[in-house]
Amino acid sequence: MTFQNLGLSEDTLKAVEDSGYTEPTPIQEQAIPVVLTGRDVLGCAQTGTGKTAGFTLPMIDMLATGRARARMPRSLILEPTRELAAQVSESFERYGKYHRLTTALLIGGESFVDQEKALGRGVDVLIATPGRLIDLFERGRILLSDVRVLVIDESDRMLDMGFIPDIERIVGLLPKKRQTLFFSATMPPEIRKLADGFLVEPEEIAVAPPASPAETVDQQLTLVHRDDKRAALREILRAETIENGLIFCNRKRDVDILVKSLTKHGFETSALHGDMPQYLRTDTLDRFRSGELRLLVASDVAARGLDIPRVSHVFNFDVPIHAEDYVHRIGRTGRAGRPGTAITIAQPEDALHAERIEKLIGRDVPRRDLETVEAANWGDEPKRRRRSATPAPVERKAAPKDRPRSRQPAAGEERRRRPAAPAADVDRPDTAFGEHIPAFLLRPGRDAQPA
Ligand code: AMP
């Protein structure tokens, strides 16, 4: 099968050729002709299958004729995260280079003014995260009555992130007569129900996930005590020949701590997590993609779904809590048949999570012992810090003088309950909660990133 048989225009085919693609991926082969007929699509496919081009390419041809009116986009693509939205926008740029389509990106964390300006000029393709879109709609800056094509991408992730009520609301603002393309990596009953409500006689397309990374990735696991993890990572970083590597931490707080520690030890690295302003995230990623930055320390969702080709190494500084995250993380290396290395640094307390990972991938991860760091065993008790009568000053931070001491409530004073901590050290949903935070925890946020 070639791209020529799918019904795409010459200009679009030229852009595809410029991208270096020779053959359509299975999702592209199946979706492109259907999308071009104007039918609804229910696609079960995850990132990495080429699904973005699967809907982008036919949309470019379908929108080639006609003009957008100010504030009235002609098509709408909903993405759960800012990074994915930005990637889709880049795809339109790349594949639409021989067309004159206008696109706009409405994502949290970036200036309203610029986004409103772009809308005012009229856009053919609007790519948005749900919260920001609703904000702009409520400000009267956008009208959705001209949208003829709607794409809801990564629907299961939208569900996990609590975006479904927003999506239902947005869909309610669109014309009934439209084409809807609905994609999800998995099809649990809630997602199918949602799809049933949005789609009319869709063509169902399902493609297998990309080949399991486990086949091309050399996986290793180093088991050390918790306090030795950084030293273990340093030894490994020095021992490996690394073209470029992603280092994953479970918590965004640890991302920053690790970056500081690595920098102190002479490794050049940067952080990527959801608390960073968008421009910095984009800049960091660009530096990593271009090869200027060799090591990137990231949290899961900040890196998830991002198209970062040719990563030679993935390091799990923490064993991921969810086994699927392990597969996602190590899937960043060993792509397209290239060799890759994934090294996990575990501590004895991770035994259960490591066991689940090995069950999921169907094999044991070979152990790697280190030269400078003592190996631990799964059954080991956490290593106790040596205690002396007078605590070592370096290990103890003096309490700041002005820190208020906790006190008992005075008579008649109601004891105020401390509000539930909003998981301060875990990334927010569009950045690093992973896909596993229950929706109810996320509901109050919209794009989950303050504008
Ligand atoms: P996606 O699943 O849309 O995130 O795409 C995953 C990766 O596959 C991206 O790096 C695309 O640039 C790349 N890609 C998409 N279509 C093709 C194709 N037909 N041949 C080779 N690579 C492709």
Side-chain angles (χ1 to χ4, degrees):
M1 174 61 88
T2 66
F3 275 103
Q4 266 72 22
N5 309 334
L6 301 177
L8 295 167
S9 71
E10 284 304 315
D11 280 346
T12 304
L13 287 174
K14 211 152 59 157
V16 168
E17 203 184 320
D18 292 351
S19 298
Y21 306 159
T22 48
E23 256 183 66
T25 65
I27 184 91
Q28 290 162 1
E29 200 179 305
Q30 294 177 66
I32 292 172
V34 180
V35 177
L36 286 171
T37 64
R39 264 189 84 172
D40 283 1
V41 168
L42 175 60
C44 190
Q46 59 189 77
T47 40
T49 55
K51 86 175 143 63
T52 316
F55 63 80
T56 313
L57 295 172
M59 279 178 77
I60 290 169
D61 280 350
M62 286 159 64
L63 295 166
T65 51
R67 274 202 74 191
R69 288 185 280 175
R71 294 191 289 136
M72 296 178 79
R74 297 165 67 207
S75 64
L76 172 65
I77 299 171
L78 295 173
E79 292 289 337
T81 71
R82 299 180 297 182
E83 276 81 6
L84 284 170
Q87 253 170 235
V88 170
S89 170
E90 278 162 26
S91 292
F92 271 100
E93 255 168 53
R94 179 156 26 126
Y95 307 134
K97 67 196 237 197
Y98 298 114
H99 289 82
R100 291 180 57 191
L101 291 181
T102 48
T103 59
L105 195 54
L106 297 192
I107 51 179
E110 297 210 342
S111 146
F112 269 106
V113 180
D114 293 348
Q115 296 181 357
E116 284 173 14
K117 262 195 212 147
L119 282 173
R121 288 193 288 269
V123 290
D124 298 305
V125 185
L126 180 64
I127 304 148
T129 47
R132 179 51 73 101
L133 180 66
I134 287 188
D135 279 348
L136 279 154
F137 181 80
E138 284 174 350
R139 291 167 180 231
R141 298 290 191 258
I142 186 166
L143 288 165
L144 297 173
S145 48
D146 251 8
V147 171
R148 295 284 173 258
V149 186
L150 166 70
V151 180
I152 306 176
D153 199 14
E154 303 268 331
S155 303
D156 48 356
R157 238 170 122 181
M158 300 266 203
L159 175 77
D160 280 347
M161 293 167 69
F163 286 158
I164 297 304
D166 282 351
I167 299 218
E168 285 176 324
R169 185 161 167 218
I170 293 166
V171 174
L173 301 169
L174 302 177
K176 293 245 172 324
K177 202 164 168 301
R178 59 163 201 267
Q179 181 181 16
T180 306
L181 316 174
F182 185 101
F183 294 95
S184 191
T186 56
M187 283 289 162
E190 310 96 292
I191 290 291
R192 196 158 264 282
K193 199 167 142 232
L194 202 67
D196 286 346
F198 295 159
L199 301 165
V200 180
E201 295 178 12
E203 175 87 20
E204 293 196 22
I205 298 171
V207 296
S212 163
E215 287 154 31
T216 48
V217 178
D218 171 21
Q219 300 175 64
Q220 304 167 19
L221 185 139
T222 289
L223 182 55
V224 295
H225 290 284
R226 185 212 298 257
D227 290 349
D228 295 335
K229 280 172 56 169
R230 280 182 231 156
L233 178 65
R234 291 196 296 272
E235 181 184 320
I236 293 168
L237 289 176
R238 289 192 183 108
E240 290 287 309
T241 308
I242 301 166
E243 202 180 308
N244 55 355
L246 273 169
I247 305 171
F248 284 97
C249 293
N250 288 354
R251 297 182 302 180
K252 61 186 177 185
R253 183 184 59 187
D254 295 335
V255 169
D256 281 332
I257 295 173
L258 189 58
V259 166
K260 269 192 204 136
S261 158
L262 286 172
T263 308
K264 202 177 86 188
H265 284 88
F267 294 93
E268 200 185 319
T269 180
S270 282
L272 185 75
H273 64 65
D275 273 358
M276 291 161 56
Q278 185 63 32
Y279 76 90
L280 202 56
R281 286 158 71 170
T282 310
D283 179 64
T284 306
L285 263 176
D286 286 348
R287 285 196 298 130
F288 187 69
R289 282 200 184 108
S290 72
E292 187 193 322
L293 182 70
R294 217 165 47 92
L295 289 176
L296 186 62
V297 184
S299 61
D300 280 296
V301 172
R304 177 169 285 192
L306 292 181
D307 186 21
I308 307 171
R310 283 197 292 274
V311 174
S312 73
H313 284 71
V314 167
F315 303 95
N316 292 313
F317 182 70
D318 297 309
V319 175
I321 293 163
H322 301 283
E324 304 81 36
D325 284 338
Y326 177 82
V327 178
H328 280 283
R329 288 180 183 184
I330 74 164
R332 306 257 138 224
T333 183
R335 285 190 158 187
R338 289 190 203 96
T341 306
I343 304 174
T344 300
I345 300 175
Q347 60 193 50
E349 297 88 327
D350 295 324
L352 186 65
H353 295 140
E355 196 184 311
R356 287 200 188 125
I357 288 167
E358 291 186 334
K359 201 164 153 214
L360 180 74
I361 62 171
R363 62 164 82 171
D364 288 349
V365 179
R367 286 278 288 275
R368 170 175 177 152
D369 286 332
L370 301 177
E371 282 173 17
T372 57
V373 182
E374 179 200 349
N377 294 300
W378 288 123
D380 286 353
E381 289 284 310
K383 224 187 194 180
R384 282 183 203 284
R385 285 229 172 92
R386 224 182 302 136
R387 272 174 178 258
S388 57
T390 42
V394 280
E395 290 195 346
R396 277 219 158 173
K397 255 196 194 156
K401 285 197 184 79
D402 57 352
R403 186 185 290 169
R405 295 191 167 217
S406 62
R407 62 178 180 88
Q408 289 301 312
E413 186 186 3
E414 206 185 324
R415 186 189 279 272
R416 292 257 308 272
R417 215 185 253 196
R418 187 194 282 254
D425 56 347
V426 180
D427 254 359
R428 284 158 181 258
D430 81 336
T431 48
F433 256 128
E435 297 176 22
H436 309 282
I437 295 295
F440 70 88
L441 275 181
L442 306 166
R443 221 154 262 154
R446 283 238 174 105
D447 281 351
Q449 197 68 25

